[in-house]
Structure formats: structure tokens, C-alpha cells
Amino acid sequence: MVWARLSEKARKEKRAFRGPKPIQINCEEYIMENQITTANNSSNVLEQVVIGGDLSSMSPADRVSYYRTVCESLGLNPFTRPFDYLKLNGKLTLYAKKDATEQLRALKGISIDDLNISESGDNYTVIAKGHDASGRSDIEIGVVSKRDMQGNTANAQMKAVTKAKRRLTLSLAGLGWLDESEIDSISDAKPVQVTDDGVIVEEPKLEAKKFYKPAETQATYSKPYFPGEDEFL
């Protein structure tokens, strides 16, 4: 009888030592909730990018995904890096490179119908007219200073032609983005280096040089010497 009481008491103490019953978690539901939360966060960031036009608020993975989505929507090959990143008005955005306009011209069937080159003051002005495969036509302009290209007027004219043709291509393709030939003419535009993984490469900060003012030399005056009477004896 005593043994039975002791055994019952030991069982109660053992149950108390085990603590409360563990909570069971459904792993599938937990994973699904996390995926939904992550998707909502990504959609919110993408919405902010579409409204504000700033890619710097995105994570590197979302930045890569956005880049590929833009390329796929236009039919461009992302491995050729048709776009690059630009800091403009405090926002990180994309701008079109040469590969983008050339691929768009082939995909959209864009043809240049006419180029009108004129000279006005210190600038070369080129007016480009063209159309796409659907028959839609458009006109764009490219202006370059004669002082560009180290004063080489021939190269300045070719740059103006290139700028007009690329602006016309982007317009017919429905893109209101900047072309790389326009960046140097915008003071606030600054190219930003971004890796293939979507990581923004920060430029090293230059330390301010410390300039030390040399100590001013103080003039020293020696007491005049007067020989004594003993020195003349």
C-alpha cells in the first residue's frame, strides 16, 4: 500500500517535471503564411517603385527581379545589360544603353526616314523622323554643343545624329527613359554601379585633407654687447 502511494506520488512529480504540453505547429501553414507576408512586402516595395520611381528602396534580389521583368516585357536580352542605373534628382532609376536601342529598333521594326542636320550658334541640331512596323511615325531632336568631343566638329555632328536616332527609337518604343548619350548634358545625372546581384556599389569616401599652418617664426633680438673697461687694459 505504501509502495503504491509512493509510486503514485512519483508519477505526479514526473508529470510536473515534464512541464506543459508542447504546442504543435503546422509547418505547411507556417511556411505559407511567411510566403504570403514576403509576397505582400515585395508587392508594396514594387508599388512604391512604380509610383515614386526610386529603385534604391528595393532589396538586391527585388532589384534583379525588376530588371529582368523590364527586359522581358520589352523582349530584350538581360544578359547584354541593355540598361544601367542612374542617380537623378535623388532617385535611382534605369537608363537605356546602346544595346537597348539597337535591340528595340530590330524588335519594333523602327526605321529612320529622314535626318536634318543644322547649325545654330554653338550647337549642332539634328531632327530625326521615323516610323515603326505598325506605321506609327514620330519626330525627335538631338542637340550637341560644338565644344563637345574636344572641339572635333565632325564627332560632335555624329554625336548629335546618334542622340536624335536613339531618342526617336525610345519614343517609338514607348519608353520615356534617358539614353546614355544624354547623361553628360544633365548636371544632376550620375551613373551608379550595380552588380549583377543587384548590390549597389558605394563609392569610397575621400577623407578631407588636413592642412597644417606652419608656425610663424618669431624674430629674436640679442642684447647689444658693450665691452667693459677691463678688455681695453
Side-chain angles (χ1 to χ4, degrees):
M1 189 70 177
V2 176
W3 176 257
R5 291 178 180 176
L6 292 174
S7 299
E8 184 178 355
K9 183 179 180 181
R11 285 196 296 272
K12 290 181 180 180
E13 292 178 353
K14 187 175 181 181
R15 286 197 296 270
F17 178 76
R18 288 178 180 177
K21 185 178 181 181
I23 301 174
Q24 295 182 354
I25 300 176
N26 191 327
C27 294
E28 294 182 357
E29 294 180 357
Y30 179 76
I31 294 173
M32 185 175 296
E33 289 179 358
N34 284 343
Q35 290 177 346
I36 293 174
T37 303
T38 304
N40 291 336
N41 293 336
S42 299
S43 61
N44 292 335
V45 173
L46 183 60
E47 183 179 356
Q48 294 176 1
V49 170
V50 173
I51 296 175
D54 189 7
L55 303 180
S56 61
S57 60
M58 304 180 73
S59 65
D62 290 336
R63 199 173 292 119
V64 172
S65 178
Y66 175 79
Y67 189 98
R68 292 180 178 176
T69 301
V70 171
C71 292
E72 291 175 358
S73 64
L74 297 172
L76 303 180
N77 184 2
F79 296 104
T80 61
R81 293 296 296 259
F83 303 106
D84 223 330
Y85 294 87
L86 176 75
K87 197 80 171 181
L88 181 63
N89 297 329
K91 297 180 181 180
L92 184 67
T93 183
L94 294 175
Y95 71 91
K97 297 169 60 179
K98 177 182 177 182
D99 293 331
T101 52
E102 288 185 352
Q103 293 182 48
L104 288 172
R105 195 175 292 125
L107 290 170
K108 304 294 183 179
I110 297 175
S111 300
I112 308 299
D113 299 328
D114 184 49
L115 289 173
N116 184 9
I117 305 175
S118 61
E119 181 179 354
S120 58
D122 294 335
N123 300 322
Y124 289 114
T125 304
V126 176
I127 299 177
K129 300 178 182 179
H131 68 278
D132 59 9
S134 65
R136 176 172 170 264
S137 60
D138 202 348
I139 299 176
E140 272 295 346
I141 186 173
V143 181
V144 173
S145 173
K146 295 179 181 179
R147 294 186 295 270
D148 288 359
M149 311 304 290
Q150 299 179 352
N152 190 321
T153 57
N155 290 338
Q157 288 182 3
M158 288 188 290
K159 184 178 180 180
V161 171
T162 299
K163 181 182 290 190
K165 291 170 65 176
R166 291 184 181 180
R167 286 173 56 87
L168 177 64
T169 300
L170 294 175
S171 178
L172 288 173
L175 289 178
W177 292 357
L178 289 175
D179 176 72
E180 62 180 344
S181 62
E182 301 177 272
I183 296 177
D184 56 355
S185 60
I186 302 176
S187 58
D188 296 336
K190 182 180 179 182
V192 178
Q193 184 180 358
V194 179
T195 64
D196 294 337
D197 298 329
V199 179
I200 300 174
V201 179
E202 300 290 343
E203 292 186 357
K205 296 182 179 180
L206 300 177
E207 296 183 358
K209 295 183 178 180
K210 297 180 180 180
F211 295 94
Y212 296 94
K213 185 178 180 181
E216 295 181 357
T217 56
Q218 296 181 355
T220 57
Y221 300 93
S222 59
K223 186 177 181 180
Y225 173 75
F226 297 98
E229 295 180 356
D230 297 340
E231 297 183 10
F232 295 97
L233 296 178

